[in-house]
């Protein structure tokens, strides 16, 4: 705020100096012309000296004002034209930031940053709509296909009909989960959910998440190495449960049958540090910097179950709660996700 105040004071000072210089030039030149006419006895229309003084002042003042106005107002006109283009949806317009006044350079620089961010936002929104449409279309098409088979194959065996119903239920749950994640992500994005909450045992919540995922790790015969230190945390309990469900669920999903998933929680200084490690194929280096983006999936074929929202949701929740999440590949294979949360003393 102080910087903005200084900037406006500087601009006012510039304008004041320009006006004073203009007045000084008008007075000096007008006086000089009037003196020269009288000194050299130059023929001129017989008018009182005061009238000549006014005429020369008006002509000279108009010329100087036109020149200074063009010099001062041109940057504003260029900015106005550029803003008009932005208002029409053109976010590729850029202004040359080089100018005599540093304040004008700052304004142009901020304008260029604004248009760049608006362009990025438009791209993200377009990609979001495309991805949402794709993710909705896949389960809906599957539900429609299996429902059609149920309707058409009246003489199908009970086993086939049971399989069709299971597929419909599976895609219905997938669609429901997608909608829930999109709604929750939207609330977190717009901070419609408060990060404040109650004080609860973080280790007990992680154990609860592991128990809820028992059908998943039992089905793949996965062993879990769990080491949780007793820690209390103050925050939104329901939001944080999404974090553990997503991270532990991913570790189980990407670990091979009979694999090992490590889960740990310990205190490091004033932080609670949660780590989950799997023994899966890891994440390729090109994908590591993108895995927390909405709808990003390193497996572009979508063979793995998921919609690319889980990790984006994890990151948004943790940022809302003042925490961080990171991912890294392990030298021996697999991947490790690390969550850091600030905890009270």
């Amino acid at each position: 705020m102080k910087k903005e105040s200084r900037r406006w004071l500087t601009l006012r000072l510039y304008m004041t100096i320009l006006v004073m210089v203009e007045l000084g030039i008008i007075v000096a030149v007008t006086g000089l012309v009037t003196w020269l006419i009288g000194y050299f006895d130059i023929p001129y229309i017989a008018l009182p000296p005061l009238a000549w003084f006014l005429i020369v002042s008006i002509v000279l003042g108009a010329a100087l004002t036109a020149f200074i106005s063009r010099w001062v107002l041109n940057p504003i006109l260029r900015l106005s034209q550029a803003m008009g283009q932005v208002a029409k949806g053109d976010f590729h317009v850029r202004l040359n930031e080089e100018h005599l006044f540093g304040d004008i350079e700052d304004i142009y620089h901020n304008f260029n940053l604004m248009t760049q961010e608006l362009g990025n936002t438009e791209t993200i929104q377009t990609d979001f709509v495309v991805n949402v449409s794709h993710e909705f279309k896949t389960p809906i098409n599957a539900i429609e296909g299996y429902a059609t088979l149920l309707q058409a194959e009246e003489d199908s065996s009970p086993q086939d009909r049971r399989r069709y119903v299971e597929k419909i239920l599976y895609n219905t749950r997938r669609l429901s989960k997608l909608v829930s994640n999109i709604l929750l992500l939207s609330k977190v994005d717009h901070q419609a959910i408060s990060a404040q909450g109650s004080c609860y045992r973080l280790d007990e919540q992680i154990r609860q998440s592991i128990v809820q995922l028992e059908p998943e790790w039992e089905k793949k015969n996965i062993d879990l190495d769990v080491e949780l230190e007793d820690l209390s945390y103050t925050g939104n309990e329901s939001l944080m449960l999404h974090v553990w469900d997503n991270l532990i669920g991913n570790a189980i999903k990407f670990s091979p049958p009979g694999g090992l998933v490590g889960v740990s929680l310990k205190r490091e200084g004033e932080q609670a540090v949660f780590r989950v490690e799997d023994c899966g194929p890891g994440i390729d280096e090109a994908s590591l910097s993108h895995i927390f983006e909405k709808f990003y999936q390193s497996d572009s074929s979508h063979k793995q179950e998921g919609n690319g929202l889980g990790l984006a949701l994890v990151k948004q929740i943790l940022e809302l709660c003042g925490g961080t999440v990171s991912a890294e590949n392990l030298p021996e294979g697999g991947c490790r996700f690390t969550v850091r949360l600030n905890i009270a003393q």
Side-chain angles (χ1 to χ4, degrees), residues 79-288:
L79 181 61
S80 176
Q81 292 170 356
M83 291 175 69
Q85 290 179 258
V86 172
K88 294 177 182 177
D90 180 8
F91 301 127
H92 300 289
V93 60
R94 297 291 185 273
L95 292 172
N96 182 8
E97 297 178 12
E98 294 182 4
H99 197 273
L100 178 63
F101 292 140
D103 294 313
I104 299 295
E105 288 185 351
D106 289 343
I107 293 171
Y108 280 8
H109 176 70
N110 291 332
F111 174 85
N112 290 338
L113 283 178
M114 178 192 72
T115 53
Q116 181 180 347
E117 290 300 319
L118 285 173
N120 292 340
T121 301
E122 184 186 37
T123 302
I124 291 171
Q125 288 178 340
T126 302
D127 291 344
F128 184 82
V129 171
V130 170
N131 284 317
V132 166
S133 301
H134 177 272
E135 295 298 337
F136 269 96
K137 184 178 179 181
T138 302
I140 288 174
N141 286 345
I143 292 170
E144 182 184 10
Y146 287 113
T148 302
L149 287 174
L150 275 174
Q151 186 181 39
E153 299 184 13
E154 296 179 358
D155 298 329
S156 59
S157 65
Q159 292 82 1
D160 287 340
R161 296 176 69 85
R162 190 180 301 112
R163 183 166 59 88
Y164 298 156
V165 171
E166 287 176 355
K167 292 292 185 180
I168 291 173
L169 290 173
Y170 166 78
N171 283 283
T172 303
R173 284 191 291 267
R174 180 180 174 186
L175 195 58
S176 176
K177 184 178 180 181
L178 173 62
V179 172
S180 298
N181 281 344
I182 290 175
L183 291 174
L184 181 58
L185 192 59
S186 176
K187 289 181 180 179
V188 175
D189 273 339
H190 295 89
Q191 294 192 355
I193 300 176
S194 173
Q196 300 300 320
S198 57
C199 181
Y200 64 94
R201 286 276 297 276
L202 204 56
D203 54 302
E204 288 298 330
Q205 186 183 48
I206 295 171
R207 288 190 185 93
Q208 177 187 350
S209 176
I210 293 172
V211 171
Q212 288 178 349
L213 292 167
E214 184 177 0
E216 305 297 325
W217 49 267
E218 273 197 343
K219 181 172 60 177
K220 297 180 70 173
N221 195 29
I222 287 176
D223 290 328
L224 281 90
D225 181 13
V226 181
E227 186 178 348
L228 304 176
E229 183 178 333
D230 295 347
L231 284 177
S232 295
Y233 173 71
T234 301
N236 191 309
E237 192 170 352
S238 60
L239 276 184
M240 291 306 301
L241 187 59
H242 283 281
V243 173
W244 318 130
D245 286 348
N246 272 294
L247 294 180
I248 299 173
N250 277 348
I252 295 170
K253 180 170 68 175
F254 290 105
S255 291
L260 176 68
V261 170
V263 180
S264 67
L265 175 71
K266 61 180 179 179
R267 185 185 190 117
E268 292 183 3
E270 297 182 2
Q271 290 186 326
V273 181
F274 167 85
R275 291 185 177 92
V276 57
E277 301 176 1
D278 62 55
C279 55
I283 305 171
D284 61 272
E285 294 299 323
S287 300
L288 266 177

Side-chain angles (χ1 to χ4, degrees), residues 66-92:
F67 172 77
I68 293 176
S69 297
R70 185 174 181 181
W71 181 53
V72 173
L73 294 179
N74 262 354
I76 300 175
L77 292 175
R78 284 197 295 270
L79 181 61
S80 176
Q81 292 170 356
M83 291 175 69
Q85 290 179 258
V86 172
K88 294 177 182 177
D90 180 8
F91 301 127
H92 300 289

